[in-house]
Amino acid sequence: MKKVFRQIISSMKVDGTNHKTTPEDLVDDQNGLISISPSIKKNEEEFNQTFEKNYDFYMEKVFVGKQEGLLLYLTSMVDLPTVAETIRPALANAYRNQKQVTTVSQLENFQKEFFSSNNCIVIEYNHEVSWYILSGFTVILIDGLSKAIAISTITTESRAVEQSKTQTIVRGPQDSFTEVKATNVSLIRRRIKNPHLKVEQFTVGKDTQTAVCIAYLDNVASEEIVRQVRQRVKDIKGSAIFDSGNIEEFIADRVITPFPMLYHTDRPDTVSANIVEGKVAVIVDGTPYVLLAPVVFTDFFQVSEDYYQGFMMASMLRLLRYLAFLIALLLPSFYIGLTTYHPQLIPTGLIISIQAQREGVPFPAVVELLLMEVTFEILREAGVRMPRVVGQTVSIVGALVIGQAAVEAGVVSHFLVITVALTAMAGFVAPVYSFANSTRLLRFALIFMTAALGLFGTIIGFLMIIAHLASLRSFGVPYLAPMGPFILEDQKDVFVRLPIQLMKRRPNYLHPKADVKEPNANPLPSKQKEESS
């Protein structure tokens, strides 16, 4: 019998859809599932021992109708006004009415009569009592009964919905996700009012027991992609999950790569739009960043604002992002290759000016460049880690003062400062921070290859990057899709964005169940429609 109960609990945990998911470490491995004792005194000793040395553990003897009972909760996890205004009046009312609560049926009737408006659950095992207390519930134990009531009194303290700080836009919604899972799900549901939107919940992390949800449209998303995401989340064996970044490393197809294998964002409109396209969102409780799977290379050059403004302007800005990526990746390498190995490729007037500036510089071009690049990376990191009041000032003033002083001291040339500054500005154009970090890493690799082999090293390194990209897969989807393999139908939203009326189909590389997105889209006004018909 104990083995049967253990299998039931195990299946509940794997499925992830039942709220009674319990952590395995709260189950006694030797004695199996331990039922709640009908003795109040024994329960008092049991849970005092379980929660000893916890200042926020509260236990009080109360009356549940005619019977004695125990009220248990953590003061740091529950909303104390809810306990005072809901639970205590209900217990007082039951005591005045001298309710009889000696059987399971009477307990269920008691629950329906006095706690009908609350999220109230009947539980029967000791580990469930501990689990619900740790989750912010208030548990009521009753003398003579081997079952208890767990009432949801979770505190609602959380950060308000604010403007996104990492992916800002000019036109479009200004809200962003918070650290509360329920709030994040509601922000998605407000945008996708569709009964086909499914949100499945799992519990991961042996010690943290973090709630993780996957959201998708079951009539659109590929069953194979949903199955892979679900299975990989279930298979996570980590002891602590605090952020979606932990989840990303566990479920990514490949970890040893500089490129992000999932798209992370704190914008609800971006997540909603990708879910409608056929992707799966991974929502982690405790973090405002939601993961999207699968991801392709071109996703990191698209922002939600592209679809809120005219297609011509959006296309120009998208091409600008691709150009900025190439500048941030290749410009320092070109500087070293051209000035050190291939000066004949530079116009005569320009090379004379560059060499005149470098005449008093005591270092080779590669050392000069690395010196400035490392200095800028230190300033950027200092600006991020320092208090916001002074961080931006330090980074800007530091770059200006150090750059100017280095030029005047003859350590670096003016042209190099321009090169490093332009490279840094191009790196900031990337809409997703993790993708910008990839560019930073690869830039240094190309600098060393160019220093060794000249522009041939730059070309070899660039081809190696392309080959690496071609080898990547994200949940079975080629990372370079729809460019490699080339899908003609999907080119309408890659380098440029065509009018929305022409983008009638979802991306083919996602293998959606419903290909057509806008079957009746027609840009013609109603009058012209009648004439054309």
Side-chain angles (χ1 to χ4, degrees):
M1 182 63 71
K2 292 178 181 178
K3 292 183 179 179
V4 173
F5 278 126
R6 185 180 295 278
Q7 291 174 0
I8 293 173
I9 291 296
S10 176
S11 65
M12 287 165 57
K13 180 164 186 173
V14 171
D15 181 67
T17 57
N18 194 312
H19 191 73
K20 288 188 178 181
T21 301
T22 55
E24 293 178 355
D25 58 322
L26 294 182
V27 179
D28 191 309
D29 291 330
Q30 296 180 351
N31 300 322
L33 299 172
I34 303 176
S35 298
I36 298 171
S37 172
S39 171
I40 284 294
K41 185 176 180 181
K42 188 175 180 181
N43 286 330
E44 184 177 1
E45 294 174 354
E46 170 75 22
F47 293 109
N48 267 327
Q49 182 179 0
T50 301
F51 292 97
E52 65 177 347
K53 299 181 181 179
N54 284 291
Y55 81 95
D56 55 346
F57 176 64
Y58 181 84
M59 178 185 292
E60 179 186 354
K61 288 186 177 181
V62 294
F63 276 96
V64 184
K66 290 183 178 182
Q67 281 70 41
E68 289 186 350
L70 289 176
L71 191 68
L72 299 85
Y73 57 83
L74 294 175
T75 58
S76 60
M77 292 293 293
V78 304
D79 185 29
L80 294 177
T82 301
V83 176
E85 298 170 7
T86 305
I87 297 179
R88 293 187 181 280
L91 292 177
N93 190 18
Y95 178 72
R96 284 194 299 267
N97 295 334
Q98 290 292 290
K99 282 288 181 180
Q100 192 81 11
V101 188
T102 56
T103 63
V104 174
S105 61
Q106 288 177 347
L107 178 64
E108 292 175 352
N109 292 333
F110 173 81
Q111 169 199 346
K112 293 176 183 178
E113 181 178 355
F114 293 98
F115 299 106
S116 57
S117 61
N118 295 86
N119 184 4
C120 187
I121 303 165
V122 176
I123 54 180
E124 56 181 320
Y125 299 108
N126 279 350
H127 67 273
E128 288 183 316
V129 174
S130 301
W131 169 245
Y132 281 109
I133 291 175
L134 291 169
S135 299
F137 281 64
T138 297
V139 176
I140 301 175
L141 300 169
I142 304 171
D143 189 25
L145 278 180
S146 58
K147 291 192 176 183
I149 300 176
I151 307 164
S152 177
T153 52
I154 303 173
T155 179
T156 56
E157 295 178 1
S158 62
R159 182 170 61 91
V161 176
E162 301 172 350
Q163 186 175 356
S164 174
K165 296 179 181 179
T166 57
Q167 298 178 9
T168 57
I169 61 175
V170 177
R171 180 178 179 180
Q174 300 297 323
D175 55 346
S176 66
F177 289 123
T178 69
E179 287 76 14
V180 181
K181 173 201 62 181
T183 302
N184 297 340
V185 173
S186 69
L187 289 173
I188 296 174
R189 287 199 179 276
R190 289 177 187 177
R191 288 169 168 82
I192 308 178
K193 300 179 178 66
N194 190 333
H196 290 285
L197 176 62
K198 307 300 179 184
V199 182
E200 301 179 21
Q201 178 172 311
F202 308 90
T203 304
V204 299
K206 180 180 178 182
D207 295 327
T208 58
Q209 291 293 300
T210 306
V212 178
C213 296
I214 64 170
Y216 59 93
L217 286 176
D218 66 345
N219 65 329
V220 174
S222 166
E223 290 184 2
E224 177 60 22
I225 292 176
V226 174
R227 185 195 65 79
Q228 286 193 44
V229 176
R230 182 190 296 118
Q231 191 61 45
R232 294 186 192 185
V233 171
K234 289 180 182 179
D235 291 341
I236 292 175
K237 303 299 182 183
S239 60
I241 302 296
F242 296 106
D243 184 77
S244 57
N246 304 135
I247 299 289
E248 184 175 359
E249 289 198 26
F250 278 111
I251 68 176
D253 290 59
R254 188 183 296 184
V255 178
I256 305 177
T257 175
F259 294 98
M261 298 306 297
L262 286 94
Y263 189 101
H264 74 267
T265 178
D266 63 346
R267 296 193 57 85
D269 58 332
T270 300
V271 172
S272 301
N274 279 273
I275 290 176
V276 171
E277 290 291 317
K279 295 187 179 182
V280 181
V282 181
I283 307 164
V284 183
D285 194 21
T287 176
Y289 289 96
V290 173
L291 301 175
L292 290 167
V295 68
V296 295
F297 180 76
T298 56
D299 286 340
F300 298 101
F301 297 91
Q302 302 173 6
V303 296
S304 57
E305 193 175 9
D306 289 348
Y307 307 94
Y308 304 149
Q309 57 184 345
F311 72 95
M312 289 187 288
M313 189 64 189
S315 300
M316 189 200 77
L317 292 177
R318 188 173 294 179
L319 290 173
L320 185 64
R321 293 185 203 112
Y322 282 102
L323 177 62
F325 166 71
L326 294 176
I327 291 174
L329 182 66
L330 299 173
L331 184 60
S333 301
F334 279 155
Y335 173 82
I336 295 174
L338 292 174
T339 58
T340 305
Y341 291 92
H342 311 282
Q344 67 274 13
L345 298 178
I346 306 176
T348 305
L350 182 58
I351 190 62
I352 292 174
S353 174
I354 293 174
Q355 293 300 331
Q357 294 174 22
R358 297 196 67 254
E359 186 174 355
V361 177
F363 304 113
V366 61
V367 176
E368 181 187 13
L369 180 63
L370 286 173
L371 184 64
M372 288 302 298
E373 283 283 355
V374 171
T375 301
F376 182 79
E377 292 294 335
I378 292 173
L379 288 170
R380 175 153 61 176
E381 192 66 14
V384 172
R385 305 303 167 196
M386 291 184 68
R388 294 186 181 275
V389 179
V390 295
Q392 188 175 5
T393 304
V394 169
S395 59
I396 294 175
V397 174
L400 292 174
V401 172
I402 292 177
Q404 184 64 29
V407 170
E408 292 179 358
V411 178
V412 297
S413 63
H414 289 86
F415 195 81
L416 177 67
V417 173
I418 295 172
T419 301
V420 173
L422 181 58
T423 302
M425 294 302 296
F428 288 132
V429 174
V432 182
Y433 184 72
S434 60
F435 188 77
N437 289 340
S438 304
T439 309
R440 292 163 65 184
L441 289 173
L442 293 172
R443 180 166 67 241
F444 280 98
L446 289 175
I447 288 173
F448 287 113
M449 292 191 68
T450 306
L453 302 173
L455 288 182
F456 295 106
T458 306
I459 295 171
I460 293 172
F462 189 68
L463 291 177
M464 290 175 64
I465 292 172
I466 294 177
H468 176 70
L469 288 170
S471 69
L472 295 178
R473 296 290 186 275
S474 179
F475 293 87
V477 176
Y479 201 70
L480 285 181
M483 298 181 294
F486 185 79
I487 304 174
L488 180 61
E489 182 66 24
D490 293 345
Q491 301 303 313
K492 297 177 181 179
D493 194 24
V494 178
F495 296 104
V496 296
R497 179 183 81 77
L498 297 186
I500 293 178
Q501 294 87 346
L502 298 180
M503 295 189 295
K504 299 180 180 180
R505 295 185 177 276
R506 295 182 170 88
N508 286 288
Y509 59 82
L510 294 176
H511 306 292
K513 295 179 182 177
D515 292 338
V516 180
K517 182 171 55 176
E518 300 287 348
N520 299 319
N522 193 333
L524 295 177
S526 57
K527 201 171 194 181
Q528 295 185 26
K529 287 182 183 179
E530 294 175 1
E531 293 176 358
S532 61
S533 61

